[in-house]
Amino acid sequence: MVVVSQAAALPTAALGLFQEAAPDLWPLVAAGLAWLIPAGLTLIAAAGVPEERAWQTALAGVAAAGIGTVAFFLTGFGLAFGGIGLARGDVAGLDGLIWEWSLLGGDWGPTWGMMGLRGWALGGPAATTAAYALFAAYLPWAATAALVPLLALRGRTPALVPLLAGLLASGVLFPLGMNWVWGGGWLANLGINLGVGHGLVDFAGAGTVFLVGGAVALAGLLALVPRKPRRAAHERDLPVPLPRSHMPLLAAAGALFILAGAMGWAWASPLLILDSMWPMRGAVTVMLAAAAGALVPMAYTWFAAGRGDPLMAAKGLAAGAIAGMALGPFVQPGAALAVGALVGLLVPLATYVVNEVLRVADDTHVTSIYLLGAMAGIIALGILADGLAGDGWNQVGVGSYLGVAGQGVTGLMPAESLQQDWPGQMQAQLVGLAALFLVPFFVASLFFVPVAVVLRGVQRPGEEEAAASPVIVVPATLVAEHAVEVGRRPDPQPTGELEAMEAERP
């Protein structure tokens, strides 16, 4: 009896230890899972680019992790969270980060903040456990912001250009967006300043990461990459083929990585107050949006082309997951399923319009994954948020909102017994969407357009394509010998050439 009781006590004791350690261990696990998202996006991009650029795409994925980490450490964290203590002084260890700059000046009040100015290189007031946790939680976000322009431009422009674009995105533009949305800046405070809903709500950074990264990448594509040629006259009446996928297994693996990574993408943040956030509903929301986003383009390609296309399905899953991460726990599961299905339906349409009508050479899916998913999620939240989650989000309506105790973020379709918040929340969503896309697009264009002018002045036609990938020269004799070795006859050579080759052999 004694042995049995001791054995039974061991699992109980282990469970108690795990529960005590869980608050410290879960943020590490969640942040680790989040790194699967940039890995998955890299795999999907590698599956869709021409084979000669797959090497460059793989290099872009690794480079983005390094660039995003270093840039966010040196400048990004300070710009993003240098004033977080003003908004979240309740988080121990962040109370020293209270320097927030605003273009509007002090007369407008501290809630119009636009840029943090403390915590550079995690020094000074940022050398705390809470600040380190904040840095680790958002590091995958910074790396993904660098990844999007790197994937779009690597191998199509001189190598220095996408590297600088990645630095600009992860070290300056993404941190500014983070400050506006998560660091106590002006977009988060639209509810306090202007009375429009709870301010911009972007639960897992769909706008802050993917709109900013996508805007930088799109500006680079328009400025630096030549448009696709028009289809020949005799081809215009023929069906448009699906985008080519030379390695469909990469697309499938990347989609599954994104599905797993979404489970930890937002939940590592120490800024979340989980008591009012319905974490499990947030997880279900992302899964349903991603699943619907995959199934609809799979069915579409099955009926349109006679076979399901793994690349299009992977793109739909990624776009649906991004939309679901914007929605988070603020909408009902059925609503998330509908949003994912809509996004999945729009993925093939957006691919066709961008590549065939606008002729933008978007083979890494900037528009059909990142921009489409982020825009759909941010707009849908303003309509479908039901008010059950997010009590006191962005310090609005703490305890009571619209006269209802405990009501959270709400749009056009509230849950039963809750009040509609229309068009207030939608106004905040649209202002945030415009700011997070237009500002990075404009700033990135100021960088890319002069670069494009310089490159066109010094680069000969065809030079860009020649430099895009390494070229390995194989002697013709080696090709011929290998062909004979594996049992295949080489192409016949002219008699004179063959005799000359034989004479040269030792």
Side-chain angles (χ1 to χ4, degrees):
M1 294 294 293
V2 174
V3 173
V4 173
S5 63
Q6 287 177 342
L10 287 175
T12 304
L15 180 60
L17 290 173
F18 176 78
Q19 289 174 337
E20 291 178 5
D24 297 323
L25 290 178
W26 169 245
L28 295 176
V29 175
L33 282 173
W35 279 100
L36 292 175
I37 287 187
L41 294 174
T42 302
L43 291 175
I44 293 176
V49 299
E51 294 183 34
E52 61 271 16
R53 278 185 50 219
W55 183 84
Q56 300 283 2
T57 302
L59 186 62
V62 178
I67 290 173
T69 298
V70 173
F72 195 58
F73 171 72
L74 293 176
T75 62
F77 183 86
L79 291 173
F81 297 114
I84 187 63
L86 296 173
R88 294 301 306 272
D90 57 321
V91 180
L94 300 181
D95 48 334
L97 298 171
I98 53 173
W99 193 352
E100 182 79 7
W101 176 84
S102 174
L103 180 66
L104 300 177
D107 295 340
W108 288 74
T111 53
W112 287 96
M114 298 176 181
M115 181 189 304
L117 294 175
R118 269 193 176 179
W120 311 112
L122 293 179
T128 65
T129 300
Y132 292 157
L134 200 60
F135 175 80
Y138 292 110
L139 198 53
W141 299 31
T144 304
L147 176 69
V148 178
L150 274 167
L151 289 176
L153 301 176
R154 191 75 173 87
R156 311 170 95 175
T157 63
L160 184 61
V161 176
L163 292 178
L164 292 176
L167 284 171
L168 177 66
S170 60
V172 179
L173 296 176
F174 160 72
L176 289 178
M178 281 294 294
N179 181 274
W180 301 347
V181 180
W182 284 84
W186 68 281
L187 287 179
N189 287 315
L190 287 174
I192 294 175
N193 294 329
L194 301 180
V196 287
H198 282 73
L200 174 63
V201 178
D202 178 19
F203 177 69
T208 317
V209 178
F210 297 103
L211 267 183
V212 171
V216 175
L218 183 61
L221 288 174
L222 295 177
L224 297 170
V225 179
R227 296 288 183 90
K228 296 180 67 175
R230 296 183 183 276
R231 301 184 77 194
H234 67 279
E235 296 179 340
R236 291 174 188 170
D237 294 331
L238 299 176
V240 177
L242 292 171
R244 187 179 173 212
S245 173
H246 67 277
M247 295 192 72
L249 186 59
L250 290 184
L256 295 176
F257 276 19
I258 290 170
L259 203 59
M263 299 297 289
W265 180 257
W267 301 103
S269 174
L271 300 178
L272 286 179
I273 302 175
L274 297 181
D275 293 344
S276 65
M277 291 313 303
W278 287 45
M280 294 313 300
R281 186 167 85 156
V284 170
T285 294
V286 176
M287 297 300 107
L288 289 174
L295 290 175
V296 172
M298 188 184 300
Y300 170 82
T301 54
W302 187 278
F303 286 107
R307 59 181 176 84
D309 184 71
L311 178 60
M312 197 67 72
K315 289 168 58 177
L317 186 147
I322 291 171
M325 288 189 291
L327 298 172
F330 299 113
V331 304
Q332 296 282 349
L337 188 72
V339 172
L342 177 61
V343 170
L345 184 63
L346 292 176
V347 163
L349 177 61
T351 302
Y352 171 78
V353 170
V354 171
N355 286 277
E356 301 298 330
V357 178
L358 303 178
R359 297 185 294 114
V360 177
D362 181 18
D363 56 8
T364 56
H365 331 300
V366 169
T367 50
S368 57
I369 294 180
Y370 313 117
L371 295 179
L372 173 63
M375 290 180 178
I378 289 175
I379 292 173
L381 189 145
I383 301 172
L384 301 173
D386 63 2
L388 293 179
D391 176 23
W393 187 268
N394 287 332
Q395 312 303 311
V396 174
V398 179
S400 174
Y401 185 63
L402 299 178
V404 180
Q407 178 166 336
V409 178
T410 316
L412 179 63
M413 303 173 66
E416 186 178 355
S417 76
L418 299 183
Q419 295 296 314
Q420 184 184 86
D421 186 10
W422 182 265
Q425 190 58 49
M426 177 58 79
Q427 290 174 331
Q429 299 301 104
L430 293 177
V431 170
L433 190 152
L436 291 172
F437 176 78
L438 293 177
V439 172
F441 183 84
F442 175 73
V443 173
S445 297
L446 292 180
F447 167 70
F448 286 125
V449 170
V451 170
V453 172
V454 172
L455 290 179
R456 286 168 188 158
V458 301
Q459 209 168 46
R460 296 189 302 273
E463 186 176 344
E464 176 184 323
E465 290 78 5
S469 59
V471 178
I472 302 173
V473 179
V474 181
T477 54
L478 181 60
V479 175
E481 290 172 0
H482 179 69
V484 172
E485 193 175 358
V486 298
R488 292 184 286 111
R489 289 179 59 87
D491 292 336
Q493 300 280 350
T495 306
E497 273 189 53
L498 188 57
E499 291 175 354
M501 290 167 56
E502 291 292 335
E504 290 177 1
R505 289 192 178 187

